[in-house]
Amino acid sequence: MRQLVDPYRYGVEREWCWRGWQSRYSFWRPAHGGSPVILLHGFGASLRHWRYNLRLLGEHQPTYALDLMGLGAAEKPIAAYGAEFWAAQVHAFWQKIVGQPAVIVGNSIGALIALTCAYRYPQMAAGVVMLSLPDPAVREELIPRAIAPLVSGIEQIFTAPWLLRTLFYAIRRPFIVKRWAQLAYANPDCVDDELLEILLTPAYDDGSDRAFVQITRAMSRTDFGPSAKTMLKTVSQPLLLIWGKQDRFIPPALSQRFQQAQPRMQVVELDQTGHCPHDEQPDRVNGLILDWLRSHRLARG
């Protein structure tokens, strides 16, 4: 297992308020740098999931990581969770803290949010890097119209708040979280004690059960966010898509469909890598991002 050797790997952490709700962000700034970088985590994670990326990228250009509302150390309010909601949070953070076009990097849901930011707020995005990209529209495409009402009825039963709340209390136990996390990684040894602490700590915050129910129900809807393919066709900024070939959560084959939708997007598939390439293969991912930034003149020097 990898041990905690760098006490500054999470960067300099600060509190930040949005719409009256508290959130947390972290940053690392070099003396001189290129375009700022904003890191967005996925479902169940936090800004600390960028433990092997934030400082290394921050040594080259200003780098920020943000806890998305309802997750991480952010407050867990009753809210209309979804890609558009979180994109509005990121945009407000960018306006208040960053203030110049930034490269938005996201993993999983964070990737969808990063793309949504570039789509809805093009002035804030100098480029987008996506690590495993979900598409709310894909599910709708796969369900025959004739049985769509039946599927919707079944989903309403299995996403009932009382059932999801019961499930939440069952799955936040350490051994369950460890098993779930190992499914996300091609190499189970990457699921170390530090990662388990990153995943478990927010699950015991006030309102965490409520946020889990709301977010899970939102994720089951096709209006969770705009169609990824539609956004890819529209966004004009440079795009990089990184995908682990052993991703068990989102089919890696989607990367080819996305590249067909946007041929100028660079796509990189990584061997022996699962759903969280930035944490499982940080050296490779950091190098890919820095090389891509340089190729688009978004990096220092």
Side-chain angles (χ1 to χ4, degrees), residues 184-199:
Y185 288 74
N187 178 8
D189 289 339
C190 291
V191 182
D192 55 18
D193 291 341
E194 183 189 5
L195 178 60
L196 290 177
E197 182 179 357
I198 290 169
L199 299 175

PDB file of all heavy atoms in Angstrom, residues 184-199:
ATOM      1  N   ALA A 184     -13.726  -0.264  -8.290  1.00  0.00           N
ATOM      2  CA  ALA A 184     -13.415   0.915  -9.093  1.00  0.00           C
ATOM      3  C   ALA A 184     -11.975   0.917  -9.591  1.00  0.00           C
ATOM      4  O   ALA A 184     -11.633   1.691 -10.492  1.00  0.00           O
ATOM      5  CB  ALA A 184     -13.680   2.184  -8.288  1.00  0.00           C
ATOM      6  N   TYR A 185     -11.137   0.058  -9.011  1.00  0.00           N
ATOM      7  CA  TYR A 185      -9.716   0.025  -9.345  1.00  0.00           C
ATOM      8  C   TYR A 185      -9.345  -1.314  -9.981  1.00  0.00           C
ATOM      9  O   TYR A 185      -9.817  -2.369  -9.533  1.00  0.00           O
ATOM     10  CB  TYR A 185      -8.871   0.241  -8.093  1.00  0.00           C
ATOM     11  CG  TYR A 185      -8.910   1.650  -7.552  1.00  0.00           C
ATOM     12  CD1 TYR A 185     -10.042   2.131  -6.887  1.00  0.00           C
ATOM     13  CD2 TYR A 185      -7.831   2.506  -7.700  1.00  0.00           C
ATOM     14  CE1 TYR A 185     -10.090   3.429  -6.393  1.00  0.00           C
ATOM     15  CE2 TYR A 185      -7.861   3.799  -7.199  1.00  0.00           C
ATOM     16  CZ  TYR A 185      -8.995   4.261  -6.550  1.00  0.00           C
ATOM     17  OH  TYR A 185      -9.040   5.538  -6.066  1.00  0.00           O
ATOM     18  N   ALA A 186      -8.497  -1.264 -10.992  1.00  0.00           N
ATOM     19  CA  ALA A 186      -7.987  -2.499 -11.572  1.00  0.00           C
ATOM     20  C   ALA A 186      -7.032  -3.182 -10.598  1.00  0.00           C
ATOM     21  O   ALA A 186      -6.955  -4.404 -10.530  1.00  0.00           O
ATOM     22  CB  ALA A 186      -7.283  -2.212 -12.897  1.00  0.00           C
ATOM     23  N   ASN A 187      -6.299  -2.383  -9.842  1.00  0.00           N
ATOM     24  CA  ASN A 187      -5.369  -2.896  -8.839  1.00  0.00           C
ATOM     25  C   ASN A 187      -5.949  -2.649  -7.450  1.00  0.00           C
ATOM     26  O   ASN A 187      -5.944  -1.518  -6.963  1.00  0.00           O
ATOM     27  CB  ASN A 187      -4.010  -2.204  -8.969  1.00  0.00           C
ATOM     28  CG  ASN A 187      -3.007  -2.670  -7.920  1.00  0.00           C
ATOM     29  OD1 ASN A 187      -3.263  -3.624  -7.175  1.00  0.00           O
ATOM     30  ND2 ASN A 187      -1.867  -2.008  -7.850  1.00  0.00           N
ATOM     31  N   PRO A 188      -6.467  -3.676  -6.785  1.00  0.00           N
ATOM     32  CA  PRO A 188      -7.107  -3.478  -5.466  1.00  0.00           C
ATOM     33  C   PRO A 188      -6.155  -2.957  -4.406  1.00  0.00           C
ATOM     34  O   PRO A 188      -6.596  -2.413  -3.394  1.00  0.00           O
ATOM     35  CB  PRO A 188      -7.635  -4.876  -5.122  1.00  0.00           C
ATOM     36  CG  PRO A 188      -6.834  -5.822  -5.949  1.00  0.00           C
ATOM     37  CD  PRO A 188      -6.497  -5.089  -7.210  1.00  0.00           C
ATOM     38  N   ASP A 189      -4.837  -3.095  -4.604  1.00  0.00           N
ATOM     39  CA  ASP A 189      -3.880  -2.601  -3.624  1.00  0.00           C
ATOM     40  C   ASP A 189      -3.893  -1.076  -3.536  1.00  0.00           C
ATOM     41  O   ASP A 189      -3.390  -0.494  -2.565  1.00  0.00           O
ATOM     42  CB  ASP A 189      -2.460  -3.074  -3.961  1.00  0.00           C
ATOM     43  CG  ASP A 189      -2.273  -4.565  -3.727  1.00  0.00           C
ATOM     44  OD1 ASP A 189      -3.068  -5.141  -2.958  1.00  0.00           O
ATOM     45  OD2 ASP A 189      -1.349  -5.154  -4.313  1.00  0.00           O
ATOM     46  N   CYS A 190      -4.464  -0.425  -4.542  1.00  0.00           N
ATOM     47  CA  CYS A 190      -4.563   1.040  -4.510  1.00  0.00           C
ATOM     48  C   CYS A 190      -5.574   1.514  -3.461  1.00  0.00           C
ATOM     49  O   CYS A 190      -5.565   2.682  -3.073  1.00  0.00           O
ATOM     50  CB  CYS A 190      -4.970   1.578  -5.885  1.00  0.00           C
ATOM     51  SG  CYS A 190      -3.712   1.386  -7.152  1.00  0.00           S
ATOM     52  N   VAL A 191      -6.431   0.608  -3.021  1.00  0.00           N
ATOM     53  CA  VAL A 191      -7.432   0.964  -2.006  1.00  0.00           C
ATOM     54  C   VAL A 191      -6.773   0.830  -0.643  1.00  0.00           C
ATOM     55  O   VAL A 191      -6.869  -0.188   0.035  1.00  0.00           O
ATOM     56  CB  VAL A 191      -8.686   0.067  -2.127  1.00  0.00           C
ATOM     57  CG1 VAL A 191      -9.732   0.482  -1.101  1.00  0.00           C
ATOM     58  CG2 VAL A 191      -9.255   0.139  -3.534  1.00  0.00           C
ATOM     59  N   ASP A 192      -6.073   1.872  -0.245  1.00  0.00           N
ATOM     60  CA  ASP A 192      -5.331   1.861   1.013  1.00  0.00           C
ATOM     61  C   ASP A 192      -6.130   2.558   2.120  1.00  0.00           C
ATOM     62  O   ASP A 192      -7.249   3.019   1.906  1.00  0.00           O
ATOM     63  CB  ASP A 192      -3.952   2.506   0.834  1.00  0.00           C
ATOM     64  CG  ASP A 192      -4.036   3.922   0.251  1.00  0.00           C
ATOM     65  OD1 ASP A 192      -5.119   4.526   0.311  1.00  0.00           O
ATOM     66  OD2 ASP A 192      -3.014   4.413  -0.259  1.00  0.00           O
ATOM     67  N   ASP A 193      -5.535   2.633   3.294  1.00  0.00           N
ATOM     68  CA  ASP A 193      -6.235   3.221   4.440  1.00  0.00           C
ATOM     69  C   ASP A 193      -6.561   4.696   4.204  1.00  0.00           C
ATOM     70  O   ASP A 193      -7.610   5.189   4.645  1.00  0.00           O
ATOM     71  CB  ASP A 193      -5.392   3.062   5.709  1.00  0.00           C
ATOM     72  CG  ASP A 193      -5.290   1.615   6.165  1.00  0.00           C
ATOM     73  OD1 ASP A 193      -6.145   0.801   5.743  1.00  0.00           O
ATOM     74  OD2 ASP A 193      -4.362   1.287   6.930  1.00  0.00           O
ATOM     75  N   GLU A 194      -5.659   5.391   3.556  1.00  0.00           N
ATOM     76  CA  GLU A 194      -5.898   6.811   3.288  1.00  0.00           C
ATOM     77  C   GLU A 194      -7.116   7.002   2.395  1.00  0.00           C
ATOM     78  O   GLU A 194      -7.965   7.871   2.646  1.00  0.00           O
ATOM     79  CB  GLU A 194      -4.674   7.442   2.632  1.00  0.00           C
ATOM     80  CG  GLU A 194      -4.833   8.940   2.380  1.00  0.00           C
ATOM     81  CD  GLU A 194      -3.716   9.512   1.532  1.00  0.00           C
ATOM     82  OE1 GLU A 194      -2.862   8.734   1.049  1.00  0.00           O
ATOM     83  OE2 GLU A 194      -3.708  10.737   1.330  1.00  0.00           O
ATOM     84  N   LEU A 195      -7.230   6.183   1.350  1.00  0.00           N
ATOM     85  CA  LEU A 195      -8.379   6.290   0.453  1.00  0.00           C
ATOM     86  C   LEU A 195      -9.672   5.962   1.184  1.00  0.00           C
ATOM     87  O   LEU A 195     -10.695   6.641   1.003  1.00  0.00           O
ATOM     88  CB  LEU A 195      -8.208   5.357  -0.750  1.00  0.00           C
ATOM     89  CG  LEU A 195      -9.378   5.341  -1.742  1.00  0.00           C
ATOM     90  CD1 LEU A 195      -9.610   6.726  -2.340  1.00  0.00           C
ATOM     91  CD2 LEU A 195      -9.141   4.320  -2.855  1.00  0.00           C
ATOM     92  N   LEU A 196      -9.650   4.936   2.022  1.00  0.00           N
ATOM     93  CA  LEU A 196     -10.854   4.587   2.773  1.00  0.00           C
ATOM     94  C   LEU A 196     -11.281   5.736   3.695  1.00  0.00           C
ATOM     95  O   LEU A 196     -12.473   6.026   3.831  1.00  0.00           O
ATOM     96  CB  LEU A 196     -10.615   3.315   3.594  1.00  0.00           C
ATOM     97  CG  LEU A 196     -10.483   2.024   2.783  1.00  0.00           C
ATOM     98  CD1 LEU A 196     -10.180   0.853   3.705  1.00  0.00           C
ATOM     99  CD2 LEU A 196     -11.750   1.749   1.975  1.00  0.00           C
ATOM    100  N   GLU A 197     -10.318   6.417   4.290  1.00  0.00           N
ATOM    101  CA  GLU A 197     -10.652   7.571   5.126  1.00  0.00           C
ATOM    102  C   GLU A 197     -11.272   8.682   4.278  1.00  0.00           C
ATOM    103  O   GLU A 197     -12.245   9.330   4.696  1.00  0.00           O
ATOM    104  CB  GLU A 197      -9.405   8.086   5.827  1.00  0.00           C
ATOM    105  CG  GLU A 197      -9.680   9.258   6.757  1.00  0.00           C
ATOM    106  CD  GLU A 197      -8.428   9.747   7.469  1.00  0.00           C
ATOM    107  OE1 GLU A 197      -7.357   9.136   7.287  1.00  0.00           O
ATOM    108  OE2 GLU A 197      -8.523  10.754   8.192  1.00  0.00           O
ATOM    109  N   ILE A 198     -10.744   8.906   3.074  1.00  0.00           N
ATOM    110  CA  ILE A 198     -11.279   9.923   2.171  1.00  0.00           C
ATOM    111  C   ILE A 198     -12.733   9.611   1.824  1.00  0.00           C
ATOM    112  O   ILE A 198     -13.586  10.504   1.783  1.00  0.00           O
ATOM    113  CB  ILE A 198     -10.419   9.992   0.890  1.00  0.00           C
ATOM    114  CG1 ILE A 198      -9.048  10.595   1.205  1.00  0.00           C
ATOM    115  CG2 ILE A 198     -11.119  10.795  -0.207  1.00  0.00           C
ATOM    116  CD1 ILE A 198      -8.042  10.470   0.067  1.00  0.00           C
ATOM    117  N   LEU A 199     -13.036   8.335   1.591  1.00  0.00           N
ATOM    118  CA  LEU A 199     -14.379   7.940   1.192  1.00  0.00           C
ATOM    119  C   LEU A 199     -15.349   7.867   2.366  1.00  0.00           C
ATOM    120  O   LEU A 199     -16.536   8.171   2.213  1.00  0.00           O
ATOM    121  CB  LEU A 199     -14.322   6.583   0.479  1.00  0.00           C
ATOM    122  CG  LEU A 199     -13.501   6.515  -0.811  1.00  0.00           C
ATOM    123  CD1 LEU A 199     -13.445   5.088  -1.334  1.00  0.00           C
ATOM    124  CD2 LEU A 199     -14.065   7.451  -1.876  1.00  0.00           C
TER     125      LEU A 199
END
